[in-house]
Amino acid sequence: MRAFFGYDSEESLPLPAEPGMVIDFTSAGHAAVYKDGHWGAVDIWGSWTDGVRAEIVFPVTTAPTGDLLMFVRISAAFVGLDKEPIRLSAFFEGERLGRWVAFPGYSLVTFKAVLPRRLMAGKQECRLRIETENPQSVQNVVDSTGELRIGEDPRELGVRVQSVSFASTDLLKYTVGKTLDFTDNGKGVNHMTECWRSEEHTSELQSLR
């Protein structure tokens, strides 16, 4: 069953994944038609995963010309009772892409992965699955504060997804001798993992040759 939760519930057609396409998971976007599985509340900063399995289903061209580079932008990881990092596993068409770790708090982190052409060829739509290994109980956090509420909060939150975007793998190409610029105006961010600080901050490493 597809999820239609939050502000975005009007009819809209999903667009095929291709370079330049962005799925906006905030309350201003139209991500409901792409959602399946365990999704929760939506706000101006994105959509929370609520449970173990949150899926994104999107159309693809039947004859893709190459692999796709995918960026998953996270705007928060829920701060649970023990403040442990949220551990995620990403799967595309059943094949594991990698394991991601989001540290608790409200900061922007971008995870990236390459979607293989061979998994998209000949299909009308594909499925990205994000599994949360350790979703955090909201009720446990409420209980720890001693706050009295009517009823229990059943939510098991993981991360808040702000957007999913697609680009050509050409962004990853590098020529020997070329300088990678890691300043705000450079393109070094394309080669960074989520372990780097945000490009909005000044980095000690400004270039690499």
Side-chain angles (χ1 to χ4, degrees):
M1 175 180 288
R2 295 287 177 89
F4 291 88
F5 186 98
Y7 303 105
D8 176 23
S9 59
E10 68 269 22
E11 291 291 333
S12 58
L13 295 176
L15 299 175
E18 58 185 7
M21 196 272 255
V22 179
I23 305 174
D24 183 354
F25 281 79
T26 71
S27 54
H30 302 281
V33 292
Y34 299 94
K35 293 179 180 177
D36 196 10
H38 303 156
W39 290 95
V42 182
D43 59 30
I44 61 172
W45 296 105
S47 301
W48 283 98
T49 60
D50 187 356
V52 174
R53 178 185 57 82
E55 297 186 331
I56 302 167
V57 184
F58 48 84
V60 293
T61 58
T62 55
T65 57
D67 298 343
L68 269 180
L69 185 60
M70 177 188 67
F71 298 90
V72 179
R73 189 171 178 86
I74 303 296
S75 60
F78 187 71
V79 182
L81 188 60
D82 298 323
K83 298 180 174 58
E84 61 179 308
I86 303 297
R87 298 184 297 275
L88 310 167
S89 291
F91 297 84
F92 182 61
E93 288 297 286
E95 185 170 303
R96 185 167 180 160
L97 296 177
R99 193 166 183 264
W100 302 333
V101 177
F103 292 94
Y106 297 85
S107 59
L108 294 174
V109 179
T110 301
F111 300 102
K112 64 167 68 76
V114 174
L115 307 182
R117 174 183 177 275
R118 59 181 173 79
L119 295 179
M120 296 182 280
K123 298 177 181 177
Q124 293 185 335
E125 67 176 24
C126 288
R127 184 176 296 264
L128 171 71
R129 184 171 78 252
I130 301 175
E131 291 187 357
T132 305
E133 298 178 14
N134 58 330
Q136 302 295 301
S137 168
V138 175
Q139 185 61 46
N140 286 348
V141 175
V142 172
D143 291 343
S144 70
T145 65
E147 180 182 349
L148 294 178
R149 291 188 182 182
I150 299 176
E152 291 194 2
D153 193 325
R155 290 178 295 168
E156 297 279 341
L157 300 183
V159 296
R160 186 172 58 191
V161 179
Q162 187 176 82
S163 67
V164 173
S165 58
F166 303 91
S168 168
T169 53
D170 288 345
L171 288 180
L172 300 180
K173 289 183 177 179
Y174 173 75
T175 303
V176 176
K178 182 181 179 181
T179 299
L180 287 179
D181 184 353
F182 289 90
T183 64
D184 291 349
N185 297 323
K187 297 183 178 180
V189 64
N190 296 330
H191 301 270
M192 290 179 173
T193 67
E194 64 277 5
C195 298
W196 290 77
R197 292 173 59 192
S198 171
E199 64 272 18
E200 295 174 359
H201 301 289
T202 301
S203 172
E204 292 181 3
L205 178 61
Q206 295 186 345
S207 66
L208 183 67
R209 185 185 294 271

